Amino acid sequence: MEKSCSLLVYFDKGTPAIANEIKEALEGNDVPAKVDAMKKAISLLLNGETLPQLFITIVRYVLPSEDHTVQKLLLLYLEIIEKTDAKGRVLPEMILICQNLRNNLQHPNEYIRGVTLRFLCRLNETEIIEPLIPSVLQNLEHRHPFIRRNAILAVMSIYKLPQGEQLLVDAPEMIEKVLSTEQDPSAKRNAFLMLFTCAQDRAVNYLLTNVDRVPEWGELLQMVVLELIRKVCRTNREEKGKYIKIIISLLNAPSTAVIYECASTLVSLSSAPTAIRAAANTYCQLLLSQSDNNVKLIVLDRLNELKASHRDIMVDMIMDVLRALSSPNLDIRRKTLDIVLELITPRNINEVVLMLKKEVVKTQSGELEKNGEYRQMLIQAIHSCAIKFPEVASTVVHLLMDFLGDANVASAIDVVVFVREIIETNPKLRVSIITRLLDTFYQIRAARVCSCALWIIGEYCLSLSEVESGIATIKQCLGELPFYSVSEEGEATDASKKPPQANSITVSSRRPAILADGTYATQSAASETAFSPPTIVQGTLASGNLRSLLLTGDFFLGAVVACTLTKLILRLEEVQPSKVEVNKATSQALLFMVSMLQLGQSSVLPHPIDNDSYDRIVLCIRLLCNTGDEIRKIWLQSCRQSFVKMLSEKQLRETEELKAKAQVSHAQPDDLIDFYHLKSRKGMSQLELEDEVQDDLKRATGEFVKDADDANKLNRILQLTGFSDPVYAEAYVTVHHYDIVLDVTVINRTKETLQNLCLELATMGDLKLVERPQNYTLAPESSKQIKANIKVSSTETGVIFGNIVYETSNVLERTVVVLNDIHIDIMDYISPAVCTDAAFRTMWAEFEWENKVAVNTVIQDEKEFLDHIIKSTNMKCLTAPSALDGECGFLAANLYAKSVFGEDALVNVSIEKQADGKLSGYIRIRSKTQGIALSLGDKITLKQKGGS
């Protein structure tokens, strides 16, 4: 078994040392060789060697050495060697080192005294320590603070030993005297820590006696004071009023670590508005004064927690929190915006939006490379503000429309989606948005933004002037017809090699152009406005953005243009009294559509038009040639109705989520209610009074009661051994975020004493044992609680297995009882989360680990199967309920969850109902790490049958 060692000693692993070589080096007079030999001896001991022959050599040749390094290594050696025999008695030769330690404790050199005192902190053998106690106590009054502070720690560790109280009966009293006279901050802190650990009442008395001087104490001592306050208030809640005053006085301390601890202690102890406001103010100061991004992120997490429990107080802090946007780090900005968006009220919305607008304007100066991404975040934030408070939409929508032509496509898409939602929810803004959109349409460069903008133009151009402007804008952006023309028979094949680059030629002139393969062709000026890369297109009247995108082969956009023109012509028929004008516009629109079809089927472009876009454009041509009332209704009304329905569903989902978050626990009918108005207020400050009121409210609303806690405990108890085993063991498993605590109850079922009983555990997966197992002695039919901590480093299914080993007096061999395995469930680490469809698709494309699970279930209904998978995997369905409505025999849905380690888990469920009623299909899981994909796959395979 590994030995513990308090310091790491570097040694070369290449050549294992031989005991004889070490012995020779130790016996010599060469100090560097001795140092090297001691390091080798320590490394061998740590690797499991015993080296009994070295002890006497070390006593003879190393103990008398005056070299500091040798003495330090000697103490390390003494720390890790076995000091007891098999029966737990101290070995007789250990008496030899007692004299040396006593000499060291009285050594004229302060360093030797100090490290020896530090060494005594790690000694557990009472027989060795007892003769040294007078020397340790003498060092409490030494002139040098380094020795005094280590002497105090030595007294504390001796007092904490099983027989410590007999060895040092009056230790707390002595340390209290030391504390009252001590001037060194570090020694003072150690003395207070000793009282806090070993005699809490004395520490509390000292604190309350010197309450006015606490702000003047050193940082280290103030930290221990806060720790003491937390401990006292947890056990004795009634007295916390007087301690909260001390914490508030420490909020002005010069140390940032102290004020951070003060704020978190205040929040954990009190719900009084004054205290919470003071904590929130402190966090906001730290957020602005600290330059370290990690500190800012931690403080933002604390503010986020405050927002959940004390939203009213945090609402007043919203502008202070927003100042964190000055940090260039995107994660900090994202977290800040997330907190702020949940604190918006009608009172502060205008201030917040004004600040966000200023930030958007700042992003236009292209100094930082991530300006585009930050702008996108700001646009999304403004979007959600405008949806919650429609009255602010008018102040921001026109500013944001300047970014429709943004080089960052994602932020341009966010703007156009925002505009689409605002134009529907704010009818008053419709005219101004349409006018602005038609004016700026030519600037848009991205096909997806164009598609959305065209849909807005087609749906919301209602008056005659708007419809005519809409048609004119689209014609302008498509440019002159035809899109291409070939003057001679055989030129089409040459032109198919590569479309010519744009040249500025007047329409009337014709001249030969040199093609990519070096041949000549005569081209009309119309075709010479084709573009290769769309990025270099300059939006002018001569060469529109729609034309350049079409000439790169984007025929989906062509289909959208055709649909928009069709809607505009149908609306023109309703608002334009002159039939001549309507027919003229119709024939022009038809000409554009036919030209797009020609372009798609020509050999000018490398890829022909796809079937979907072709069918869509042909449908628009047929519709304009022969329009019925039913068709007109579908095109002019149904599209808008579907959009309105989608928006209302989205709003409904959001309000349901908010309601679910806002659910509070209720008190039991027979719980006591305290009427604080009837309480005596003598000697209570305003803060203490507030605190009492808040506690009473919490008690009345059941916030102190953890519901169904006992039932959950019973579910988590696992039996580790059988009832007929000599040792019965069961474990209660508590899963925290980053660690698992096993609380194992071990019961001796025999009539004999079990000696050296040890719970040995091993792990599989990303689990790691924190501490070494200890040996215990168990009396007949008695029980023992053993705690084991296990660190978790990633989200995957882990297994803990092990055994209980013990000895009995009449059997020489050790007995081993093998334990049942404990399986750590991945479900404890993942929780449902939400992300946008775009983010889901991006992650789906990026993540390299995929696990494909075939559907194999007895469930015959698609939706029932999907619900079963969602429940089994603890994931959130991102697909809207309306998209899953109806009976078509097919179902596809996206699920998403996030682990406590920040890992994303993506699942796509695609199922189909067969003719025999059974479901078939696949569930695909993708994640960045292999563990989460495999573990989720195993979980789904296990649960999908439809059982438990």
Side-chain angles (χ1 to χ4, degrees):
M1 194 184 293
E2 282 186 4
K3 299 281 188 299
S4 65
C5 175
S6 48
L7 290 170
L8 291 174
V9 180
Y10 171 78
F11 66 97
D12 185 7
K13 289 181 182 175
T15 54
I18 302 162
N20 290 338
E21 289 177 10
I22 295 173
K23 198 172 176 184
E24 282 172 24
L26 291 174
E27 288 171 357
N29 293 324
D30 186 6
V31 173
K34 266 189 187 178
V35 169
D36 201 38
M38 285 299 289
K39 285 183 179 180
K40 284 176 182 173
I42 291 169
S43 60
L44 283 174
L45 282 165
L46 287 174
N47 289 340
E49 301 283 340
T50 51
L51 306 179
Q53 69 273 35
L54 279 187
F55 182 75
I56 296 300
T57 309
I58 285 175
V59 169
R60 285 178 63 194
Y61 296 101
V62 180
L63 249 62
S65 172
E66 288 293 321
D67 185 76
H68 289 185
T69 312
V70 171
Q71 283 296 325
K72 192 171 185 178
L73 289 168
L74 170 66
L75 292 173
L76 279 176
Y77 168 79
L78 294 176
E79 185 186 333
I80 57 174
I81 57 168
E82 284 292 345
K83 300 173 196 69
T84 53
D85 58 16
K87 292 183 179 176
R89 290 194 296 264
V90 172
L91 296 167
E93 58 263 34
M94 287 299 134
I95 304 304
L96 294 171
I97 67 166
C98 275
Q99 185 58 42
N100 176 63
L101 292 174
R102 190 189 285 116
N103 293 343
N104 277 2
L105 289 173
Q106 293 163 359
H107 200 281
N109 184 284
E110 287 88 359
Y111 176 75
I112 298 285
R113 280 197 193 203
V115 289
T116 309
L117 286 163
R118 183 66 64 87
F119 163 71
L120 292 183
C121 297
R122 297 189 284 270
L123 264 189
N124 298 322
E125 287 73 27
T126 316
E127 290 89 337
I128 301 174
I129 287 173
E130 197 169 357
L132 304 174
I133 287 176
S135 305
V136 172
L137 296 178
Q138 277 175 13
N139 282 314
L140 285 174
E141 294 168 8
H142 194 276
R143 60 185 175 75
H144 204 286
F146 174 68
I147 293 170
R148 293 200 301 273
R149 74 176 78 130
N150 282 313
I152 294 166
L153 287 178
V155 169
M156 179 168 81
S157 58
I158 294 168
Y159 193 75
K160 282 163 74 178
L161 290 174
Q163 297 90 13
E165 291 186 28
Q166 285 86 42
L167 293 174
L168 280 167
V169 183
D170 54 351
E173 202 176 313
M174 277 191 295
I175 297 297
E176 196 171 8
K177 278 182 189 167
V178 168
L179 183 58
S180 57
T181 56
E182 184 58 69
Q183 296 303 313
D184 179 61
S186 192
K188 209 167 180 176
R189 175 252 181 205
N190 288 355
F192 192 78
L193 183 65
M194 188 274 168
L195 291 180
F196 164 45
T197 316
C198 306
Q200 193 173 305
D201 293 344
R202 286 178 185 271
V204 170
N205 287 338
Y206 180 78
L207 174 63
L208 295 177
T209 315
N210 297 283
V211 73
D212 298 332
R213 289 163 58 197
V214 173
E216 299 159 21
W217 288 350
E219 176 187 348
L220 295 169
L221 186 52
Q222 288 175 344
M223 295 293 263
V224 183
V225 166
L226 289 169
E227 188 60 42
L228 172 71
I229 290 172
R230 276 199 290 269
K231 191 177 175 185
V232 171
C233 294
R234 260 188 233 117
T235 51
N236 195 356
R237 295 193 75 85
E238 289 73 39
E239 291 189 3
K240 64 179 179 179
K242 54 189 171 192
Y243 293 112
I244 288 173
K245 284 187 210 164
I246 299 173
I247 300 170
I248 287 188
S249 72
L250 281 176
L251 280 175
N252 300 319
S255 161
T256 48
V258 170
I259 62 172
Y260 173 80
E261 281 297 325
C262 283
S264 54
T265 307
L266 266 183
V267 174
S268 65
L269 295 184
S270 173
S271 303
T274 311
I276 298 300
R277 199 169 285 112
N281 265 324
T282 304
Y283 285 142
C284 288
Q285 284 168 20
L286 287 171
L287 192 59
L288 298 171
S289 63
Q290 295 302 299
S291 54
D292 188 328
N293 287 343
N294 293 320
V295 174
K296 284 180 189 275
L297 288 168
I298 291 167
V299 170
L300 284 168
D301 282 338
R302 296 294 83 79
L303 286 168
N304 202 15
E305 288 162 13
L306 272 187
K307 178 202 71 190
S309 48
H310 303 280
R311 187 176 181 275
D312 301 344
I313 291 165
M314 284 301 296
V315 163
D316 300 335
M317 303 278 165
I318 192 165
M319 294 314 289
D320 293 327
V321 177
L322 258 179
R323 285 161 70 190
L325 290 177
S326 58
S327 166
N329 182 285
L330 278 184
D331 290 329
I332 292 170
R333 285 169 162 176
R334 189 176 290 112
K335 253 187 185 168
T336 306
L337 289 172
D338 288 345
I339 292 170
V340 165
L341 289 179
E342 291 186 36
L343 296 175
I344 291 170
T345 62
R347 276 207 334 242
N348 60 30
I349 180 69
N350 290 325
E351 277 183 287
V352 171
V353 169
L354 190 66
M355 178 86 165
L356 294 177
K357 278 165 65 178
K358 283 179 185 170
E359 288 294 314
V360 170
V361 173
K362 277 186 205 170
T363 62
Q364 283 176 291
S365 62
E367 291 163 18
L368 297 164
E369 77 263 17
K370 291 197 175 173
N371 265 350
E373 213 174 320
Y374 178 41
R375 190 182 310 127
Q376 190 185 345
M377 278 158 46
L378 290 168
I379 289 163
Q380 288 168 348
I382 292 171
H383 184 167
S384 54
C385 290
I387 301 309
K388 281 184 192 168
F389 300 94
E391 64 274 11
V392 300
S394 56
T395 63
V396 291
V397 72
H398 295 303
L399 169 75
L400 292 189
M401 285 178 78
D402 291 342
F403 296 102
L404 282 171
D406 197 343
N408 183 333
V409 177
S411 74
I413 290 169
D414 281 337
V415 171
V416 81
V417 167
F418 168 64
V419 169
R420 186 180 68 180
E421 198 164 334
I422 292 301
I423 202 168
E424 175 55 50
T425 52
N426 285 41
K428 290 178 187 172
L429 297 176
R430 187 191 63 78
V431 177
S432 62
I433 289 176
I434 282 293
T435 313
R436 186 69 184 273
L437 184 60
L438 293 172
D439 288 347
T440 57
F441 185 79
Y442 74 91
Q443 296 173 351
I444 300 172
R445 290 282 159 259
R448 284 172 67 191
V449 183
C450 276
S451 303
C452 196
L454 285 166
W455 186 88
I456 296 169
I457 291 168
E459 286 296 334
Y460 295 98
C461 286
L462 302 178
S463 68
L464 177 60
S465 62
E466 286 167 0
V467 173
E468 285 178 338
S469 300
I471 295 170
T473 301
I474 293 170
K475 277 168 60 183
Q476 216 170 50
C477 291
L478 284 170
E480 295 290 328
L481 287 178
F483 289 115
Y484 77 102
S485 66
V486 181
S487 56
E488 291 174 23
E489 289 285 322
E491 278 176 7
T493 51
D494 292 337
S496 70
K497 302 281 167 60
K498 187 180 177 189
Q501 296 297 312
N503 291 328
S504 52
I505 304 172
T506 54
V507 177
S508 58
S509 72
R510 285 178 177 246
R511 54 187 271 195
I514 303 171
L515 298 181
D517 60 353
T519 56
Y520 287 96
T522 310
Q523 300 273 331
S524 76
S527 68
E528 287 165 7
T529 50
F531 284 80
S532 344
T535 47
I536 59 161
V537 176
Q538 294 301 317
T540 62
L541 297 180
S543 59
N545 50 350
L546 293 178
R547 184 190 194 93
S548 57
L549 288 164
L550 274 175
L551 290 172
T552 59
D554 192 340
F555 286 103
F556 172 75
L557 181 64
V560 175
V561 170
C563 294
T564 306
L565 283 171
T566 306
K567 283 181 191 173
L568 290 172
I569 299 295
L570 293 177
R571 200 157 272 128
L572 190 69
E573 287 176 14
E574 292 177 355
V575 294
Q576 171 62 276
S578 164
K579 289 286 175 198
V580 178
E581 289 297 323
V582 172
N583 290 342
K584 185 179 172 186
T586 309
S587 58
Q588 280 180 336
L590 286 168
L591 186 58
F592 274 113
M593 292 179 205
V594 172
S595 299
M596 282 192 280
L597 288 179
Q598 273 185 336
L599 177 67
Q601 290 176 329
S602 75
S603 50
V604 172
L605 296 177
H607 301 291
I609 188 169
D610 58 287
N611 292 338
D612 284 349
S613 303
Y614 180 84
D615 292 346
R616 192 95 171 125
I617 296 172
V618 169
L619 175 71
C620 293
I621 293 171
R622 284 186 182 153
L623 189 65
L624 287 180
C625 295
N626 182 16
T627 314
D629 287 339
E630 197 57 42
I631 300 281
R632 184 186 295 276
K633 189 179 172 189
I634 290 169
W635 278 70
L636 295 183
Q637 291 173 20
S638 301
C639 288
R640 173 98 68 91
Q641 284 163 4
S642 298
F643 180 58
V644 170
K645 190 181 172 191
M646 185 189 94
L647 286 182
S648 59
E649 273 183 3
K650 181 183 162 194
Q651 211 162 1
L652 189 70
R653 273 207 311 279
E654 283 170 0
T655 42
E656 278 175 2
E657 279 171 18
L658 284 173
K659 276 182 191 170
K661 274 184 191 172
Q663 280 179 350
V664 290
S665 53
H666 301 290
Q668 294 302 315
D670 55 351
D671 274 2
L672 285 173
I673 296 180
D674 236 340
F675 291 97
Y676 74 92
H677 292 291
L678 308 179
K679 278 189 176 176
S680 162
R681 301 186 179 199
K682 279 181 186 171
M684 285 176 82
S685 67
Q686 180 62 32
L687 181 61
E688 287 174 271
L689 204 63
E690 275 183 30
D691 194 54
E692 289 276 331
V693 174
Q694 288 300 323
D695 277 1
D696 291 344
L697 280 172
K698 274 187 175 179
R699 212 171 280 121
T701 53
E703 216 170 302
F704 283 150
V705 183
K706 294 275 182 279
D707 50 343
D709 208 18
D710 297 335
N712 285 343
K713 268 190 175 181
L714 291 173
N715 292 342
R716 289 184 173 274
I717 288 180
L718 301 168
Q719 189 179 334
L720 299 180
T721 62
F723 290 118
S724 58
D725 284 315
V727 174
Y728 173 74
E730 63 181 23
Y732 169 54
V733 183
T734 312
V735 178
H736 298 297
H737 280 183
Y738 298 105
D739 58 348
I740 299 163
V741 179
L742 295 183
D743 206 339
V744 184
T745 306
V746 180
I747 303 170
N748 180 0
R749 307 285 301 282
T750 66
K751 302 285 184 190
E752 296 177 320
T753 301
L754 305 182
Q755 293 173 345
N756 292 334
L757 181 137
C758 181
L759 173 70
E760 293 180 348
L761 296 174
T763 57
M764 195 170 74
D766 268 351
L767 305 173
K768 197 176 283 182
L769 281 165
V770 176
E771 66 251 314
R772 295 185 308 125
Q774 283 183 297
N775 289 350
Y776 302 96
T777 301
L778 218 55
E781 295 182 348
S782 67
S783 65
K784 181 82 187 164
Q785 298 282 115
I786 303 173
K787 276 200 170 164
N789 284 310
I790 291 160
K791 282 279 171 224
V792 185
S793 50
S794 76
T795 312
E796 64 176 86
T797 306
V799 183
I800 303 167
F801 47 90
N803 40 45
I804 289 174
V805 185
Y806 62 89
E807 296 169 355
T808 50
S809 53
N810 55 358
V811 181
L812 293 173
E813 291 179 359
R814 303 193 88 186
T815 313
V816 178
V817 180
V818 179
L819 306 178
N820 290 335
D821 296 350
I822 301 172
H823 290 267
I824 302 302
D825 194 351
I826 185 178
M827 292 304 109
D828 290 322
Y829 292 101
I830 67 170
S831 52
V834 182
C835 72
T836 61
D837 284 347
F840 186 92
R841 285 199 190 93
T842 310
M843 286 190 284
W844 188 266
E846 282 175 5
F847 292 172
E848 62 262 32
W849 289 104
E850 179 176 287
N851 191 0
K852 198 172 181 183
V853 179
V855 172
N856 177 16
T857 181
V858 292
I859 300 170
Q860 295 202 336
D861 181 71
E862 304 98 305
K863 285 196 201 64
E864 190 188 329
F865 178 71
L866 178 65
D867 292 338
H868 176 66
I869 292 294
I870 291 169
K871 191 179 172 188
S872 307
T873 55
N874 198 22
M875 298 188 91
K876 170 97 177 164
C877 183
L878 298 181
T879 310
S882 56
L884 302 170
D885 282 348
E887 297 291 331
C888 65
F890 294 93
L891 185 144
N894 291 335
L895 315 181
Y896 179 62
K898 225 172 168 59
S899 80
V900 293
F901 303 100
E903 300 162 319
D904 303 284
L906 315 178
V907 171
N908 173 263
V909 180
S910 299
I911 42 179
E912 173 186 1
K913 200 165 196 167
Q914 303 289 355
D916 58 0
K918 287 186 177 176
L919 297 180
S920 69
Y922 289 98
I923 299 164
R924 290 157 75 202
I925 305 140
R926 283 199 185 181
S927 70
K928 204 172 238 178
T929 54
Q930 184 184 16
I932 203 166
L934 292 176
S935 302
L936 258 182
D938 295 343
K939 188 80 182 170
I940 289 170
T941 308
L942 192 70
K943 295 275 191 177
Q944 68 166 329
K945 292 274 186 189
S948 59

